[in-house]
Amino acid sequence: MAASVQGSAWGPLRVGIPGLCCRRPPLGLYARVRRLPGPEVSGRSVAAASGPGTWGTDHYCLELLRKRDYEGYLCSLLLPAESRSSVFALRAFNVELAQVKDSVSEKTIGLMRIQFWKKTVEDIYCDKPPHQPVAIELWKAVKRHNLTKRWLMKIIDEREKNLDDKAYRNIKELENYAENTQSSLLYLTLEILGIKDVHADHAASHIGKAQGIVTCLRATPYHGSRRKVFLPMDICMLHGVSQEDILRRNRDKNVRDVIYDIASQAHLHLKHARSFHKSVPVKAFPAFLQTVSLEDFLKKIRRVDFDIFHPSLQQKNTLLPLYLYIQSWRKIY
């Protein structure tokens, strides 16, 4: 298969994937799915979170994450106990925004929901969170860790732009989207962990971009089933692939070359992120556990020769909890 300039840094396309011992995942990982206590806060605005149903707000976020972002849910379970509930809230906030696009039939309705979250964030920083479980838990996280409002608003603004349902014009546009959503999420996670380090921020930027690219690839079959294509147009044009080729689930060499080039960009971002490994504080490593699932997907897509429609790519890796636990124990990312 021909490799473009973008993909040339990946090296040989078909290599053996080293296996790990197939032990059962430690029970301790699953045992952490318990009710997470919220922070002790005070003030008149506490009324939003201190009623009879307060117990359910953290549980709501946990369940939303488990159902809609299972990999993020597993990664969050391995965070330090004092940070876990805040990251659950942050990721639940991201899920709420991410599912707006697919849950509405008209852009106007989507814009109304986005506007709700814009106002919610403004109200949170005025200590007036609305009576909504994710908003209440996010307010607690903001109060506890003094989270930067700018990163939250960047995520909202970028999700709003993405309601247009347009394909990315080039790989840079996809990376910018990933930077403003996934990387912003990681910057906030680092704040929750109490990390202020330029090397950790650089690693977060690259990991977020890799996450955005991989998410775009993984969602291609789903988007195709809805007659939509979001793969970068410049790479498709480079290999003579039309949107109709993707919609018809074409598996010829040109389509696989497109997928190879895009996947290679994700691989390069992971490689760059890991180049800061020795300079990043060890305390920041738990924020980057998602690299396990990213690398797992990139290995799987290499094994099927970059056939994005191969059924195996849509299957959950049942050993992922074990791999995450091992990565956490080894203190690497």
Side-chain angles (χ1 to χ4, degrees), residues 17-23 292 299 319 322-324 326-327 330:
I17 307 300
L20 290 175
C21 54
C22 299
R23 293 186 289 113
V292 175
K299 285 180 178 179
L319 290 177
L322 173 60
Y323 295 163
L324 284 167
I326 292 173
Q327 191 93 325
R330 294 174 65 194

Side-chain angles (χ1 to χ4, degrees), residues 8-273:
S8 59
W10 201 340
L13 298 190
R14 301 171 183 84
V15 296
I17 307 300
L20 290 175
C21 54
C22 299
R23 293 186 289 113
R24 289 175 62 84
L27 293 176
L29 176 57
Y30 300 106
R32 296 188 183 188
V33 189
R34 296 288 187 267
R35 183 170 68 88
L36 306 174
E40 293 183 5
V41 288
S42 59
R44 188 161 41 179
S45 59
V46 153
S50 60
T54 302
W55 181 90
T57 57
D58 55 358
H59 186 70
Y60 176 91
C61 291
L62 186 149
E63 283 300 303
L64 178 64
L65 202 58
R66 184 177 65 83
K67 293 175 181 177
R68 301 294 184 183
D69 181 13
Y70 184 66
E71 292 173 359
Y73 164 78
L74 290 177
C75 291
S76 300
L77 289 176
L78 290 167
L79 290 170
E82 65 273 13
S83 305
R84 214 174 294 145
S85 61
S86 296
V87 174
F88 274 131
L90 180 62
R91 286 190 171 274
F93 164 74
N94 184 59
V95 169
E96 289 278 9
L97 289 169
Q99 62 187 9
V100 167
K101 184 174 181 176
D102 289 333
S103 63
V104 299
S105 55
E106 297 180 15
K107 182 181 175 181
T108 306
I109 300 174
L111 289 172
M112 290 171 63
R113 294 193 182 179
I114 293 291
Q115 186 58 40
F116 165 79
W117 284 108
K118 281 188 177 181
K119 186 176 186 307
T120 292
V121 170
E122 295 291 346
D123 288 345
I124 281 172
Y125 281 86
C126 292
D127 271 349
K128 297 184 294 184
H131 292 267
Q132 201 272 358
V134 175
I136 291 171
E137 287 299 307
L138 184 61
W139 169 68
K140 292 179 185 179
V142 168
K143 292 284 286 183
R144 175 181 280 173
H145 305 284
N146 193 27
L147 300 181
T148 303
K149 179 181 175 183
R150 176 165 55 98
W151 299 127
L152 294 171
M153 296 306 294
K154 274 200 169 206
I155 296 172
I156 296 174
D157 290 341
E158 199 63 35
R159 295 289 187 186
E160 181 178 22
K161 293 177 190 174
N162 199 238
L163 289 176
D164 287 332
D165 263 359
K166 293 180 180 178
Y168 300 104
R169 289 175 295 179
N170 48 56
I171 192 71
K172 182 66 176 175
E173 199 170 88
L174 172 55
E175 288 174 335
N176 287 340
Y177 171 76
E179 167 70 28
N180 289 328
T181 53
Q182 300 296 337
S183 297
S184 293
L185 200 63
L186 288 176
Y187 299 147
L188 288 163
T189 303
L190 288 173
E191 288 187 353
I192 289 172
L193 293 174
I195 305 297
K196 292 184 179 180
D197 181 83
V198 66
H199 300 294
D201 288 344
H202 285 162
S205 176
H206 285 293
I207 292 170
K209 288 174 182 175
Q211 177 73 70
I213 293 170
V214 166
T215 299
C216 180
L217 287 174
R218 292 173 74 169
T220 295
Y222 168 75
H223 289 146
S225 69
R226 303 186 67 179
R227 304 291 300 172
K228 296 174 183 177
V229 178
F230 296 105
L231 298 177
M233 291 189 290
D234 63 335
I235 297 180
C236 290
M237 291 173 63
L238 178 66
H239 295 287
V241 172
S242 66
Q243 289 198 350
E244 197 60 32
D245 289 327
I246 304 299
L247 295 177
R248 290 178 178 175
R249 303 172 75 92
N250 193 326
R251 296 178 169 184
D252 67 16
K253 180 181 180 297
N254 287 357
V255 173
R256 286 185 282 115
D257 283 348
V258 167
I259 302 304
Y260 169 77
D261 280 2
I262 298 172
S264 293
Q265 284 298 103
H267 174 81
L268 286 173
H269 281 299
L270 279 183
K271 186 177 179 181
H272 286 314

Side-chain angles (χ1 to χ4, degrees), residues 266-327:
H267 174 81
L268 286 173
H269 281 299
L270 279 183
K271 186 177 179 181
H272 286 314
R274 285 168 173 158
S275 70
F276 303 113
H277 182 272
K278 293 182 179 179
S279 303
V280 174
V282 174
K283 191 180 175 184
F285 288 7
F288 303 149
L289 280 174
Q290 66 201 72
T291 57
V292 175
S293 58
L294 297 180
E295 189 162 22
D296 178 64
F297 176 80
L298 293 174
K299 285 180 178 179
K300 287 198 295 186
I301 203 169
R302 290 172 78 179
R303 283 200 293 265
V304 298
D305 199 17
F306 301 93
D307 176 9
I308 195 63
F309 301 109
H310 197 282
S312 66
L313 298 180
Q314 302 303 318
Q315 297 171 358
K316 279 186 179 179
N317 183 352
T318 56
L319 290 177
L320 183 60
L322 173 60
Y323 295 163
L324 284 167
Y325 189 88
I326 292 173
Q327 191 93 325

